[in-house]
Amino acid sequence: NTAHTYADAGTYPILVTVTDDDGASATKQIVVTVSGVDISANQITGNEGSLQTLSGIFTGLTANQAYNYRVAWGTNNFTDVTFTPTTTTHNFSQTYRYLDNGSFNSSGTYSSSGAYNYKLTLKTGSVLNSGTLVAEKTGIATITNVAPTGPATAYTTQSAVTFAPKSYTLGTFADPGKNQGTTGAWSSAETFSATIDWGDGVIENYTPTAIYNNTTFVNDIQLGTRSHTYNTPGSKTVTVTVSDD
């Protein structure tokens, strides 16, 4: 005799093959129907900074039995819920905001690339994250980086005099990304770099100030004012580029 534990309910074909020492063999198929609680849930795909929804259904439940489930979002952050179904099925839906594209590896170290691995665990009982495990489901949350966007107010035509320094107001860019600490806490605004092509052959690189708004979930990337001196007359096209990390 041999034993095997199935993690999910369903129908499984088993192939048993016996081979003798002359290389001849015979194969027999056995179909095993596994009953129990099953979880169906969606994969998560979206942009950083946007609210994402994990929804699905529990099936094979015991009516009027208390259950609790935990969604581990793959960021060391969790959502815990209790419920008591009146039938053998129960629909669920939870939301979470991934503030940055990235992932955690098996050692719990954060990377700014890859995808998050979420896990949904269902247990019996009304005590959060406690009781007997009855089902679990894993999935992928693929979160895409969002590029910075330019000022809401367009730049206007400016005038200048050769050999006379002048300050130019460059406004505020926006970006939804926020860095994540290695423990899963969203720690700080992303870092950004700015490049100004003054249109006369001079290119200036600098680091703007980024302030994360915890209400709008957006970075205000403040470019401030920059001074420049033109040495030749004529029309100049100034290009401002902001890049995230």
Side-chain angles (χ1 to χ4, degrees):
N1 294 330
T2 186
H4 180 72
T5 301
Y6 289 94
D8 298 306
T11 301
Y12 300 89
I14 302 172
L15 293 178
V16 180
T17 301
V18 177
T19 305
D20 63 20
D21 56 6
D22 292 320
S25 63
T27 299
K28 179 70 174 181
Q29 177 176 291
I30 305 170
V31 177
V32 176
T33 300
V34 180
S35 61
V37 177
D38 194 28
I39 305 173
S40 297
N42 62 291
Q43 302 292 333
I44 298 173
T45 303
N47 293 330
E48 64 178 359
S50 298
L51 203 63
Q52 307 302 324
T53 300
L54 175 65
S55 60
I57 186 171
F58 300 116
T59 58
L61 301 171
T62 299
N64 302 313
Q65 159 76 52
Y67 293 92
N68 71 89
Y69 67 87
R70 164 171 283 195
V71 183
W73 296 102
T75 62
N76 292 337
N77 293 307
F78 310 95
T79 298
D80 291 312
V81 179
T82 63
F83 68 98
T84 301
T86 57
T87 67
T88 58
T89 64
H90 181 78
N91 293 305
F92 64 88
S93 182
Q94 296 298 326
T95 58
Y96 182 73
R97 195 182 304 274
Y98 289 93
L99 300 184
D100 191 25
N101 61 302
S103 63
F104 275 89
N105 63 22
S106 58
S107 300
T109 302
Y110 174 72
S111 171
S112 61
S113 62
Y116 297 97
N117 297 301
Y118 72 79
K119 184 176 182 179
L120 176 58
T121 303
L122 177 67
K123 297 180 179 181
T124 58
S126 59
V127 179
L128 294 176
N129 196 34
S130 182
T132 301
L133 176 67
V134 292
E136 59 183 25
K137 180 79 172 181
T138 59
I140 300 294
T142 303
I143 306 301
T144 303
N145 181 60
V146 176
T149 56
T153 303
Y155 293 142
T156 59
T157 300
Q158 303 282 318
S159 61
V161 177
T162 54
F163 302 107
K166 181 177 179 177
S167 293
Y168 300 86
T169 300
L170 301 180
T172 301
F173 279 59
D175 184 280
K178 189 175 186 182
N179 286 336
Q180 185 165 188
T182 56
T183 62
W186 303 107
S187 58
S188 62
E190 286 187 346
T191 56
F192 300 91
S193 60
T195 300
I196 306 174
D197 184 340
W198 290 103
D200 60 353
V202 176
I203 296 177
E204 179 183 356
N205 299 304
Y206 75 102
T207 301
T209 300
I211 299 176
Y212 190 79
N213 189 316
N214 288 299
T215 301
T216 62
F217 305 103
V218 171
N219 289 292
D220 295 324
I221 309 168
Q222 301 173 357
L223 300 185
T225 59
R226 308 298 289 184
S227 178
H228 186 69
T229 301
Y230 287 100
N231 297 327
T232 58
S235 178
K236 316 292 183 182
T237 299
V238 180
T239 303
V240 179
T241 303
V242 175
S243 301
D244 62 19
D245 55 6

